Amino acid sequence: MMSQKELQKYAEQDYKLVDPEYIKQLEQDSEKLIKFKKYSILALFIAVIVIAMTLPLLRALLTNLLN
């Protein structure tokens, strides 16, 4: 048999899981994370394109400087 304190602790945990404010906060956090993930993938894609475009230019400059 559980003590009164343990029962109270489990009751508070159960309430936290179904608390509408808690669920709303979780939804907002997940939306922020999805948005952040989307923009971070876009930024990574742009960075790869920029690096791919500048590497041949750097190679040409270095070969001209070394010759």
Side-chain angles (χ1 to χ4, degrees):
M1 192 86 190
M2 284 195 264
S3 70
Q4 188 66 31
K5 279 187 178 180
E6 290 173 326
L7 284 172
Q8 183 70 29
K9 185 176 79 171
Y10 285 116
E12 287 173 1
Q13 285 177 348
D14 289 343
Y15 177 73
K16 201 178 228 179
L17 289 176
V18 296
D19 183 21
E21 290 296 319
Y22 183 69
I23 292 172
K24 206 178 291 181
Q25 185 65 40
L26 284 177
E27 288 172 348
Q28 288 175 352
D29 291 347
S30 66
E31 287 173 5
K32 288 177 186 174
L33 283 174
I34 290 169
K35 200 177 286 186
F36 175 75
K37 183 180 173 187
K38 196 184 303 179
Y39 286 123
S40 64
I41 291 172
L42 181 65
L44 184 66
F45 184 69
I46 291 172
V48 167
I49 290 173
V50 168
I51 290 170
M53 289 173 65
T54 56
L55 279 178
L57 294 172
L58 287 172
R59 192 176 295 132
L61 284 173
L62 285 174
T63 53
N64 286 341
L65 288 174
L66 292 175
N67 284 338

